[in-house]
PDB file of all heavy atoms in Angstrom:
ATOM      1  N   LYS A 589      13.124  -5.198 -50.540  1.00 98.00           N
ATOM      2  CA  LYS A 589      14.090  -5.331 -49.438  1.00 98.00           C
ATOM      3  C   LYS A 589      15.370  -6.034 -49.896  1.00 98.00           C
ATOM      4  O   LYS A 589      16.405  -5.923 -49.243  1.00 98.00           O
ATOM      5  CB  LYS A 589      13.458  -6.080 -48.253  1.00 98.00           C
ATOM      6  CG  LYS A 589      13.344  -7.593 -48.458  1.00 98.00           C
ATOM      7  CD  LYS A 589      12.583  -8.274 -47.338  1.00 98.00           C
ATOM      8  CE  LYS A 589      12.497  -9.779 -47.642  1.00 98.00           C
ATOM      9  NZ  LYS A 589      11.592 -10.502 -46.755  1.00 98.00           N
ATOM     10  N   THR A 590      15.322  -6.732 -51.041  1.00 99.00           N
ATOM     11  CA  THR A 590      16.514  -7.454 -51.514  1.00 99.00           C
ATOM     12  C   THR A 590      17.659  -6.507 -51.868  1.00 99.00           C
ATOM     13  O   THR A 590      18.814  -6.923 -51.904  1.00 99.00           O
ATOM     14  CB  THR A 590      16.196  -8.317 -52.754  1.00 99.00           C
ATOM     15  OG1 THR A 590      15.703  -7.475 -53.817  1.00 99.00           O
ATOM     16  CG2 THR A 590      15.157  -9.391 -52.429  1.00 99.00           C
ATOM     17  N   ALA A 591      17.354  -5.231 -52.096  1.00 99.00           N
ATOM     18  CA  ALA A 591      18.422  -4.272 -52.396  1.00 99.00           C
ATOM     19  C   ALA A 591      19.331  -4.105 -51.175  1.00 99.00           C
ATOM     20  O   ALA A 591      20.551  -3.973 -51.309  1.00 99.00           O
ATOM     21  CB  ALA A 591      17.831  -2.933 -52.822  1.00 99.00           C
ATOM     22  N   ALA A 592      18.739  -4.140 -49.979  1.00 99.00           N
ATOM     23  CA  ALA A 592      19.542  -4.046 -48.749  1.00 99.00           C
ATOM     24  C   ALA A 592      20.431  -5.286 -48.617  1.00 99.00           C
ATOM     25  O   ALA A 592      21.604  -5.183 -48.228  1.00 99.00           O
ATOM     26  CB  ALA A 592      18.641  -3.899 -47.533  1.00 99.00           C
ATOM     27  N   PHE A 593      19.893  -6.452 -48.970  1.00 98.00           N
ATOM     28  CA  PHE A 593      20.704  -7.676 -48.914  1.00 98.00           C
ATOM     29  C   PHE A 593      21.927  -7.549 -49.834  1.00 98.00           C
ATOM     30  O   PHE A 593      23.047  -7.891 -49.466  1.00 98.00           O
ATOM     31  CB  PHE A 593      19.889  -8.903 -49.382  1.00 98.00           C
ATOM     32  CG  PHE A 593      18.672  -9.230 -48.554  1.00 98.00           C
ATOM     33  CD1 PHE A 593      17.692 -10.081 -49.081  1.00 98.00           C
ATOM     34  CD2 PHE A 593      18.487  -8.718 -47.275  1.00 98.00           C
ATOM     35  CE1 PHE A 593      16.562 -10.425 -48.348  1.00 98.00           C
ATOM     36  CE2 PHE A 593      17.358  -9.051 -46.529  1.00 98.00           C
ATOM     37  CZ  PHE A 593      16.386  -9.906 -47.076  1.00 98.00           C
ATOM     38  N   GLU A 594      21.677  -7.051 -51.042  1.00 98.00           N
ATOM     39  CA  GLU A 594      22.775  -6.936 -52.016  1.00 98.00           C
ATOM     40  C   GLU A 594      23.864  -5.989 -51.522  1.00 98.00           C
ATOM     41  O   GLU A 594      25.056  -6.263 -51.688  1.00 98.00           O
ATOM     42  CB  GLU A 594      22.245  -6.448 -53.369  1.00 98.00           C
ATOM     43  CG  GLU A 594      21.421  -7.491 -54.098  1.00 98.00           C
ATOM     44  CD  GLU A 594      20.874  -6.986 -55.433  1.00 98.00           C
ATOM     45  OE1 GLU A 594      21.298  -5.915 -55.896  1.00 98.00           O
ATOM     46  OE2 GLU A 594      20.007  -7.674 -56.000  1.00 98.00           O
ATOM     47  N   VAL A 595      23.447  -4.878 -50.934  1.00 98.00           N
ATOM     48  CA  VAL A 595      24.432  -3.914 -50.412  1.00 98.00           C
ATOM     49  C   VAL A 595      25.342  -4.627 -49.410  1.00 98.00           C
ATOM     50  O   VAL A 595      26.573  -4.531 -49.482  1.00 98.00           O
ATOM     51  CB  VAL A 595      23.728  -2.703 -49.746  1.00 98.00           C
ATOM     52  CG1 VAL A 595      24.724  -1.869 -48.938  1.00 98.00           C
ATOM     53  CG2 VAL A 595      23.050  -1.837 -50.811  1.00 98.00           C
ATOM     54  N   CYS A 596      24.751  -5.367 -48.483  1.00 98.00           N
ATOM     55  CA  CYS A 596      25.536  -6.060 -47.452  1.00 98.00           C
ATOM     56  C   CYS A 596      26.391  -7.165 -48.062  1.00 98.00           C
ATOM     57  O   CYS A 596      27.551  -7.351 -47.676  1.00 98.00           O
ATOM     58  CB  CYS A 596      24.613  -6.653 -46.397  1.00 98.00           C
ATOM     59  SG  CYS A 596      23.625  -5.416 -45.535  1.00 98.00           S
ATOM     60  N   ASP A 597      25.848  -7.892 -49.029  1.00 98.00           N
ATOM     61  CA  ASP A 597      26.603  -8.979 -49.658  1.00 98.00           C
ATOM     62  C   ASP A 597      27.835  -8.440 -50.380  1.00 98.00           C
ATOM     63  O   ASP A 597      28.900  -9.051 -50.361  1.00 98.00           O
ATOM     64  CB  ASP A 597      25.717  -9.748 -50.656  1.00 98.00           C
ATOM     65  CG  ASP A 597      24.648 -10.574 -49.947  1.00 98.00           C
ATOM     66  OD1 ASP A 597      24.737 -10.732 -48.716  1.00 98.00           O
ATOM     67  OD2 ASP A 597      23.724 -11.055 -50.632  1.00 98.00           O
ATOM     68  N   VAL A 598      27.690  -7.287 -51.026  1.00 98.00           N
ATOM     69  CA  VAL A 598      28.807  -6.725 -51.787  1.00 98.00           C
ATOM     70  C   VAL A 598      29.827  -6.053 -50.862  1.00 98.00           C
ATOM     71  O   VAL A 598      31.035  -6.244 -51.018  1.00 98.00           O
ATOM     72  CB  VAL A 598      28.301  -5.738 -52.867  1.00 98.00           C
ATOM     73  CG1 VAL A 598      29.445  -4.952 -53.484  1.00 98.00           C
ATOM     74  CG2 VAL A 598      27.552  -6.506 -53.948  1.00 98.00           C
ATOM     75  N   LEU A 599      29.353  -5.299 -49.878  1.00 98.00           N
ATOM     76  CA  LEU A 599      30.283  -4.627 -48.951  1.00 98.00           C
ATOM     77  C   LEU A 599      30.932  -5.632 -47.998  1.00 98.00           C
ATOM     78  O   LEU A 599      31.997  -5.379 -47.439  1.00 98.00           O
ATOM     79  CB  LEU A 599      29.547  -3.578 -48.111  1.00 98.00           C
ATOM     80  CG  LEU A 599      29.100  -2.280 -48.775  1.00 98.00           C
ATOM     81  CD1 LEU A 599      28.396  -1.385 -47.745  1.00 98.00           C
ATOM     82  CD2 LEU A 599      30.285  -1.537 -49.390  1.00 98.00           C
ATOM     83  N   GLY A 600      30.252  -6.762 -47.774  1.00 97.00           N
ATOM     84  CA  GLY A 600      30.723  -7.714 -46.777  1.00 97.00           C
ATOM     85  C   GLY A 600      30.361  -7.267 -45.368  1.00 97.00           C
ATOM     86  O   GLY A 600      30.738  -7.895 -44.381  1.00 97.00           O
ATOM     87  N   THR A 601      29.634  -6.195 -45.265  1.00 98.00           N
ATOM     88  CA  THR A 601      29.181  -5.657 -43.983  1.00 98.00           C
ATOM     89  C   THR A 601      28.058  -4.657 -44.267  1.00 98.00           C
ATOM     90  O   THR A 601      27.663  -4.498 -45.415  1.00 98.00           O
ATOM     91  CB  THR A 601      30.352  -4.979 -43.233  1.00 98.00           C
ATOM     92  OG1 THR A 601      29.892  -4.498 -41.972  1.00 98.00           O
ATOM     93  CG2 THR A 601      30.914  -3.793 -44.021  1.00 98.00           C
ATOM     94  N   MET A 602      27.554  -4.006 -43.204  1.00 98.00           N
ATOM     95  CA  MET A 602      26.499  -3.010 -43.450  1.00 98.00           C
ATOM     96  C   MET A 602      27.119  -1.619 -43.550  1.00 98.00           C
ATOM     97  O   MET A 602      28.182  -1.380 -42.980  1.00 98.00           O
ATOM     98  CB  MET A 602      25.432  -3.026 -42.340  1.00 98.00           C
ATOM     99  CG  MET A 602      25.952  -2.707 -40.957  1.00 98.00           C
ATOM    100  SD  MET A 602      26.959  -4.044 -40.309  1.00 98.00           S
ATOM    101  CE  MET A 602      27.951  -3.177 -39.111  1.00 98.00           C
ATOM    102  N   PRO A 603      26.472  -0.707 -44.266  1.00 98.00           N
ATOM    103  CA  PRO A 603      26.972   0.672 -44.251  1.00 98.00           C
ATOM    104  C   PRO A 603      26.623   1.345 -42.912  1.00 98.00           C
ATOM    105  O   PRO A 603      25.832   0.805 -42.149  1.00 98.00           O
ATOM    106  CB  PRO A 603      26.206   1.333 -45.402  1.00 98.00           C
ATOM    107  CG  PRO A 603      24.952   0.535 -45.554  1.00 98.00           C
ATOM    108  CD  PRO A 603      25.268  -0.867 -45.092  1.00 98.00           C
ATOM    109  N   THR A 604      27.235   2.496 -42.659  1.00 98.00           N
ATOM    110  CA  THR A 604      26.889   3.253 -41.454  1.00 98.00           C
ATOM    111  C   THR A 604      25.584   4.018 -41.681  1.00 98.00           C
ATOM    112  O   THR A 604      24.749   4.112 -40.784  1.00 98.00           O
ATOM    113  CB  THR A 604      28.001   4.275 -41.109  1.00 98.00           C
ATOM    114  OG1 THR A 604      29.261   3.766 -41.538  1.00 98.00           O
ATOM    115  CG2 THR A 604      28.042   4.553 -39.615  1.00 98.00           C
TER     116      THR A 604
END
Side-chain angles (χ1 to χ4, degrees):
K589 76 186 179 190
T590 59
F593 298 163
E594 289 179 11
V595 167
C596 299
D597 289 348
V598 169
L599 287 180
T601 182
M602 61 289 157
T604 329

